[in-house]
């Protein structure tokens, strides 16, 4: 019997895998981020993912620079996108997964005080501020975002941060 108990996946594993599954619901073609907020005992309170606000057209980041037609003297390597291409521009429509989860909890009266948040990508600084003010005590992320200011903010506020 002990072998069965020892072979079960950890609660962190189950919650991170759930966040990864929620990422597949993202409506942003540039990045897919999933979030799960759970109680200390790992019971899920709220889920979220990034995408356009409810009822709005989904984000689209298809290539607009037609790099296949760029001549070699234009100083762009094959497969590289121009700075004005939608593929490399930040998304201005998408609400981040963490923000969607916190907003959904507020909308439906679900308190997040003393809960933990699992996200597929480390939070940005704006989402970190929401996490801190929501009273979330622990954040677990899978992939580090290129800008780690959100993680640094969480740490400075005393939030436990774990790289999965």
């Amino acid at each position: 019997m002990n072998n069965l108990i020892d072979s079960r996946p950890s609660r962190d594993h189950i919650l991170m895998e759930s966040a990864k599954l929620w990422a597949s619901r993202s409506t942003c073609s540039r990045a897919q981020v999933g979030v799960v907020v759970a109680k200390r005992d790992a019971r899920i309170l709220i889920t979220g993912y990034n995408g356009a606000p409810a009822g709005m057209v989904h984000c689209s980041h298809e290539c607009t620079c037609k790099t296949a037609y760029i001549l070699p003297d234009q100083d762009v390597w094959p497969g590289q996108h121009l700075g004005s291409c939608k593929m490399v521009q930040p998304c201005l429509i998408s609400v981040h997964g963490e923000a969607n989860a916190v907003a959904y909890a507020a909308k439906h009266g679900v308190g997040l005080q003393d809960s933990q948040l699992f996200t597929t990508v480390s939070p940005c600084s704006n989402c970190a501020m929401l996490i801190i003010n929501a009273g979330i005590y622990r954040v677990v992320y899978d992939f580090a975002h290129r800008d780690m200011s959100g993680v640094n903010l969480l740490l400075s506020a005393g939030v436990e941060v774990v790289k999965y």
Side-chain angles (χ1 to χ4, degrees), residues 121-136:
V121 179
S122 61
C124 70
S125 59
N126 287 333
C127 287
M129 288 184 259
L130 290 172
I131 290 166
I132 293 163
N133 281 354
I136 295 169

Side-chain angles (χ1 to χ4, degrees), residues 12 23 34 44-45 59 100 104 147 160-161:
D12 281 6
I44 295 174
L45 296 170
C59 313
N100 266 333
Y104 191 83
D147 177 6
E160 178 185 349
V161 179

Side-chain angles (χ1 to χ4, degrees), residues 42 51 60 63 72:
S60 176
C63 178

Side-chain angles (χ1 to χ4, degrees), residues 26-29 31 49-53 59 61 91-97 100:
S26 171
T27 63
C28 180
S29 64
Y49 49 88
N50 64 317
C59 313
H61 298 278
C91 186
L92 302 176
I93 299 170
S94 185
V95 178
H96 291 188
N100 266 333

Side-chain angles (χ1 to χ4, degrees), residues 6-28:
D6 294 341
S7 66
R8 294 186 314 165
S10 71
R11 290 176 176 174
D12 281 6
H13 179 75
I14 292 295
L15 293 169
M16 185 57 75
E17 290 302 311
S18 296
K20 290 176 183 178
L21 188 58
W22 279 104
S24 68
R25 292 282 304 153
S26 171
T27 63
C28 180

